[in-house]
Amino acid sequence: MSIRNLHVLILVSVAYVAAQMVADISSLRDVALFGFSVSAFSIAYPLTFTLRDMAHKLAGPQVARTLIIAAAAVYLIVQAFFALIAGLPPEVTPEESAALGQLLTPEWRFLLAAVVASVLSQLVDTEVYTRWVNRFGGEHQWGRVLVSNLIGIPLDRILFLLIAFLGARTGDELVAAFIGTSIVRLVFGIISIPGIYLVEEHSEDWVHITEIRHSDPPSFSRKREG
């Protein structure tokens, strides 16, 4: 991998984590889109699937999987920090303190649903993307993003609804919540597809990055000792 592509990978990775955080924060706002009432989360979150695809294209599936797990860890750390500061005595009125605590402290079932749904759907997205590349190589790059998004985005929604609301909502309510939000997310996921052409395909050398060890080469060690 060239230095330029390494820099691009860093930027894409940061953008991926940032998009996850922006989506989480924007979930506080509901909007009306395409005739559906959805959380603003559905605007930012689909971008993470294409950013994951871009990281995959740059550095391969192993790096993409690491990025998925790292983003989930960052999300959990942020939520834990919010829960911590929500319990600290603020310089506000008791009413404002209670409202702030409710805002910063998530329902743990929803938190679990969000993390599990995101990690599993993004990992499935990785596998679908990998199979497409193995089948078509460098051709039809838009297809690898489209197909992986068409599977990953709805899967994320299904997993979240089942974990967060199974037993608390009726089947019809779950179906309605799935359809509207999934349509909106897929629209924004499709809009983001051209982003895959902004990055280069990773070189075969990058596939062997796991063979690199953090140790000084013998020649360097001798020079340093001398």
Side-chain angles (χ1 to χ4, degrees):
M1 171 179 281
S2 66
I3 293 298
R4 176 187 176 277
N5 282 350
L6 180 58
H7 290 172
V8 174
L9 175 61
I10 293 172
L11 291 175
V12 169
S13 300
V14 170
Y16 175 83
V17 177
Q20 295 271 11
M21 296 300 102
V22 169
D24 183 48
I25 296 171
S26 64
S27 66
L28 300 173
R29 174 75 171 175
D30 289 337
V31 295
L33 290 172
F34 312 121
F36 300 103
S37 177
V38 298
S39 168
F41 177 94
S42 298
I43 299 175
Y45 186 64
L47 179 60
T48 66
F49 285 86
T50 299
L51 286 168
R52 190 226 62 82
D53 291 342
M54 292 169 68
H56 191 148
K57 182 181 178 182
L58 278 163
Q62 291 184 347
V63 171
R65 295 186 190 102
T66 299
L67 183 58
I68 292 168
I69 301 302
V74 170
Y75 177 77
L76 288 173
I77 291 171
V78 170
Q79 293 298 331
F81 179 72
F82 283 167
L84 174 63
I85 63 175
L88 297 177
E91 293 185 1
V92 293
T93 65
E95 292 77 13
E96 291 172 332
S97 176
L100 181 63
Q102 291 177 355
L103 178 64
L104 295 179
T105 306
E107 291 286 343
W108 291 109
R109 184 175 179 181
F110 294 163
L111 177 60
L112 174 65
V115 172
V116 171
S118 178
V119 170
L120 291 182
S121 62
Q122 297 271 357
L123 289 175
V124 169
D125 185 283
T126 301
E127 297 307 314
V128 173
Y129 183 103
T130 300
R131 290 177 182 272
W132 180 279
V133 172
N134 290 341
R135 173 66 176 81
F136 296 102
E139 299 180 356
H140 311 303
Q141 294 185 29
W142 59 269
R144 63 175 80 168
V145 183
L146 176 63
V147 173
S148 61
N149 283 4
L150 285 175
I151 295 175
I153 291 176
L155 177 61
D156 177 273
R157 187 58 177 166
I158 291 173
L159 291 172
F160 177 82
L161 290 173
L162 291 178
I163 298 173
F165 298 111
L166 187 62
R169 292 189 180 181
T170 65
D172 290 341
E173 289 175 332
L174 291 177
V175 170
F178 169 77
I179 293 175
T181 299
S182 295
I183 290 175
V184 172
R185 291 185 184 183
L186 285 171
V187 168
F188 285 99
I190 291 172
I191 291 174
S192 68
I193 286 177
I196 197 67
Y197 293 100
L198 298 178
V199 298
E200 298 179 11
E201 200 81 55
H202 68 276
S203 66
E204 290 301 315
D205 291 339
W206 185 256
V207 176
H208 304 294
I209 193 68
T210 54
E211 298 175 5
I212 296 177
R213 297 292 181 267
H214 293 287
S215 60
D216 296 333
S219 58
F220 180 79
S221 299
R222 286 194 296 269
K223 289 180 180 179
R224 187 173 62 179
E225 291 172 0

